[in-house]
Every structure is written in C-alpha cells, then in structure tokens.
Amino acid sequence: MIITAQKPLEEILNSLSPYNSILIAGCDGCTQPPRGLKEANILAQLLGLAGKQRGKSFKFKVITVPKQCDSFLAATSLKPEIEGIDAILSLGCGVGVQTITEVLPDLIVLPAQNALFIGGENREEDVLLERCAACGDCLLEYTGGICPIARCAKHLLNGPCGGSQDGKCEVSPDRPCAWQQIIERLSKMGRLDKLEEIKPPRNWNLNLAQRKSQG
Amino acid sequence: MTMKAGTNLEKVLESGAFAVTAEAGPAKGAVTSVIERKGEMLKPCCDAVNVTDNQSAVVRMSSWSSCVLLKRLGLDPVMQIVVRDRNRLAIQSDVLGAVAMGIQNILCLSGDHQAIGNHPDAKGVYDIDSIQLIQMLKGMRDEKKFQCGEEISGEVPIFIGAAANPFAAPFEYRVLRLAKKVKAGADFIQTQAIFDVAKFAKWMEMVRDRGLDKQTHILAGLVPIKSVGMARYMKDYVSGVYVPDEVVTRLEGAKNAKEEGIKICLETIEQLKEIQGVHGIHIMAVAWEEMVPHIVEQAKLLPRPVV
Ligand code: SF4
C-alpha cells in the first residue's frame, strides 16, 4: 500500500487559510497508517482549535471515501457532499488528491498527507517498510525476493557498493544494506551464482511506456 | 604487445614493474595552484595520479579539469568517475572529452552517497552502477560503440580501472564482485586502504584461486595515518574503511603519532610487496600529499621506471 505521513498542522492551516467551508475526506483504501473517518475527525478538531488561535473559524464537514484512487468511488462518495463547500482536504495519497481533482474539477483539492513510499506493514515489529519502487521491470527473481531498486540507497543492480559495513548501509546505521540482505538470502538458497551475471543498464523510462494499464 | 591506451600507468604495469600511484584531491575552488602543487610533488615518485570526483560527496573542482591541469605538467592522470552525479549521456561525453585531452586512465566508482556529503538534499543520479560503467567504457573502446549501440567515430583508447574493497561485508562475496568487475572489463584495480594485511592476504589468496590476478593488475591501497584522531575517525566514520583496534592502540602508544603512522605505512608496503599477485600500490594521503615522496623513497621504490 501507499504509506503516508500527515503534513505539519501549520502547513495544512496555511493552505486552508483562504477558504471557509471545507470538506475533510478520509480514505479507507490503504490501511496503514490509518487515514479514514476517525483520523479525518481528529484532524478536523485539531484544525478547528488551531484555526481559532489564529482568529479564524472554519466550517468543517467530515466524510470518508472507500478508495480515493478510484474515480468512480471518489465521484459517488464526494459529489453528494459538496454543496456549499469551498475546498476539499484529502487524507489520501497523491493519487487520491489528483483523482478527486479530476472528478471534481471546479473544486480546490488540498493534500493533508505526504506520500512516502509503496510499502508493507511488519506487524511483529510494528513498522512500515518501503518495498517496491514501481519500476516497471520486476527483478525479484534475480535478487532472491529483496528489491535493490527500492531498498538500496543507490539502486545498484550488480551487487553492494564499498560502503556496506556490518550489514548496514553507508547512508545511515539505521538502514540495513539491501545488498547484504540479498547476498545472505541467495547464499542460503545456494544461489549466489545468480549474481555472477552482469545486469545491463536498465531502462528507467519503463513507467512512461506503462502509464496506461488495461488492468 | 598492443596497448589498450598506452598510458604511462599501463606501460609500467605491462612491463611487470611494481607500480606506484597516488591520489590527489582537487581544489575546493577555482584556483589551479592547489592541484598543480600536488602534481609537482607527486610527479617524481608516482607512475600516475588519481584525481577524485567530488569525493565523500563534497563538491570540488571537477576531476576532468584537474586531470587536464596535471596532464599539462607532464603527469599521467587517472580520472575518477562516480555514477552518483551523472547519467550515461554525461559520462560518455566527458569520457570523449577526457580522451581528447590526453586523459586515458579512468577509474570507475559508485561514489559515496550524496546524503553523507555537503549537499545532502541533492538528487542522486545512479543511472548506471560502477560495473555497468566499466562495461560501457569497454564497449566504447573495444567495439567503438556508445552504450545505446550507436557507432562512435574514431578510437577511444582508455585504460579502465575499478575499485575493490577487500574488507567490506560480506567478505566471501567480495571476490565474486571483483570477478564481476574483471569480467566487465577492469584492466586495473585500486583497493580500499589496507590496515589488516592478514585479511587482505586471505582475500588475495581467493583472488589467485580464481586466477583474477592474471587478468587484471591489482594495486593495493594505502592511507598513511597522521594522528590518533584520524585513525579513530577513519575507523568510525569513513565509509568502507576498516581500521583494526591494534592500529589505533599502536598510534596511541607512540611518542610521535605522525612518525608512527608513516612507519605503519612502510611496514605494510613491505608486506604487500611479498604478496603474490599484487602489482603495485596506490597511496591515498588525504591532505598529506607531501609525505608521498618520502614514503616512496623509504619504501625503496625510487626512481620510478621510465617506459
Ligand atoms: S551500503 Fe548497501 S544499501 Fe547502501 S548504497 Fe551500498 S549497496 Fe546500497
């Protein structure tokens, strides 16, 4: 799913300041971190209080959309609610904000979230981890199920750089070296030989060609 | 035998002599005197001089132009290229320009990540990796083709280098990685700084087992240590460098840390000379280039061969 983090309240307030009547739209599509009805209500309360401190009183209406990235669902959930609304504040990712902009072209749509990455939830360790770069040419067969495009800081295709130390990436001691993980995994599977093959430079523009999916 | 580029470095290595190269960091400004001073100092004691490419992801004068300045002084420069800052178009055009200016030794590197340098918010390029860079240069030279497959007009004679870190984890994989670089087309290898000769010797044994020492020239890397502080700093903060505790302890116990640092360096060189398959040394005297002539002399590696 798309992992997001809420923008600082100040930034949201600044973007809302020209408007009075605001529809706050949660999204139930991706579930972690949650950004549905409950979170939309909490945000409305926080913004209401912070607005008052600035001498501004907003009128909020709160709803949630099953999936903001689906144009049909976005349109059917939002259209009945927009009477008298100046702007929509979306708790969806960038896809959600843009889908709403497309289905409701006369309204201002503002983001409340920063989309961070495509990731998964590790429930044991209670963390959200980046896992896919949507690169258009999945390599996971070659790398033992660990993605070097999403997880190696340099997106290396032919093995680790010289900065890999004690299993950590040179960028930060908190970041595991993806190539160390790939090598450990492949040697466990007895498939280190896979890495002898030189992977040619990749086509970074595949996502341009694949923009339209027939799905 | 036919030379790939006919640079001084290639000739020395092909003659079978024990080669000496050193590293020179370019100016953090537009003055020519910084690199020229280092060049004058290194010229009598080195077969070739590497110029770093925004090393540690800190901006300096380009490797390309600093190499031109060294070439004018009569040195044989090794232009370092990292894949962090430029894509395949920019790199290929720089290589053509470099060869046109007589810069024909090129060392291919990944480069330290921009997040640990002085512009941590910069976008990293990493269009190709260091192994793909080696392969691309080999294609330009041997097939006279750009990476896209289009013809290049005329020759691109280059002597292709790569780095190897015998100490980075995972150790067992490191030789496989060297093999991959050799297969991609690395004519010479300059290793990361060696402080643990025993571990390096073990790596070299694995290198020889695969016959890689016969297919490429391995130059063993050295960093002379100036102070206890520097040893600690390298141990803890310099990405990819492995400084054993004994080295730090030895410097701490020494009356004169500078002298001790040089002594360690000279002892290491003596041990390296004995390791089969080591074809030379590469001295990276960071901000201490003036010690290189002394080290080379004390290591009895002067005069440098005229080939
Ligand atoms: S240390 Fe590992 S994860 Fe980090 S850039 Fe190098 S290879 Fe990639």
Side-chain angles (χ1 to χ4, degrees), chain B residues 88-166:
Chain B
R88 62 192 90 173
L89 280 87
I91 292 175
Q92 290 179 102
S93 87
D94 278 354
V95 166
L96 296 180
V99 173
M101 301 302 287
I103 300 154
Q104 291 171 274
N105 304 305
I106 299 179
L107 186 80
C108 306
L109 302 164
S110 308
D112 296 315
H113 195 277
Q114 65 277 6
I116 57 178
N118 69 350
H119 290 72
D121 298 344
K123 182 175 195 299
V125 176
Y126 304 110
D127 173 28
I128 55 175
D129 64 30
S130 60
I131 288 179
Q132 294 162 347
L133 172 58
I134 299 167
Q135 209 174 33
M136 182 170 87
L137 298 191
K138 187 172 157 58
M140 291 175 79
R141 180 189 67 200
D142 296 350
E143 291 161 41
K144 293 200 267 172
K145 284 204 171 116
F146 289 113
Q147 191 272 326
C148 65
E150 258 171 44
E151 296 280 328
I152 301 174
S153 56
E155 305 282 333
V156 190
I158 34 186
F159 193 47
I160 306 169
N165 188 347

Side-chain angles (χ1 to χ4, degrees), chain A residues 15-43:
Chain A
S15 70
L16 292 183
S17 61
Y19 314 106
N20 296 310
S21 187
I22 291 146
L23 177 65
I24 302 188
C27 179
D28 298 330
C30 299
T31 49
Q32 282 297 343
R35 50 208 113 130
L37 195 58
K38 183 172 150 213
E39 290 71 28
N41 270 313
I42 295 172
L43 184 60

Side-chain angles (χ1 to χ4, degrees), chain A residues 113-135:
Chain A
Q113 302 274 326
N114 291 318
L116 301 177
F117 49 79
I118 305 180
E121 182 184 7
N122 179 327
R123 290 194 198 227
E124 289 78 54
E125 289 168 39
D126 194 24
V127 280
L128 299 168
L129 300 158
E130 181 173 11
R131 286 296 174 259
C132 177
C135 73

Side-chain angles (χ1 to χ4, degrees), chain A residues 40-110:
Chain A
N41 270 313
I42 295 172
L43 184 60
Q45 279 174 15
L46 288 173
L47 287 169
L49 283 172
K52 278 205 185 94
Q53 283 173 354
R54 290 181 158 199
K56 166 111 195 177
S57 58
F58 294 109
K59 251 177 62 201
F60 291 121
K61 185 171 175 186
V62 177
I63 69 154
T64 190
V65 179
K67 259 185 182 177
Q68 291 190 8
C69 55
D70 180 317
S71 61
F72 175 76
L73 293 175
T76 47
S77 326
L78 293 167
K79 274 187 181 152
E81 312 288 340
I82 54 173
E83 180 77 35
I85 293 291
D86 305 327
I88 297 179
L89 179 65
S90 161
L91 267 71
C93 65
V95 185
V97 174
Q98 293 178 69
T99 307
I100 300 173
T101 303
E102 278 155 28
V103 298
L104 299 171
D106 299 330
L107 269 181
I108 300 288
V109 189
L110 303 164

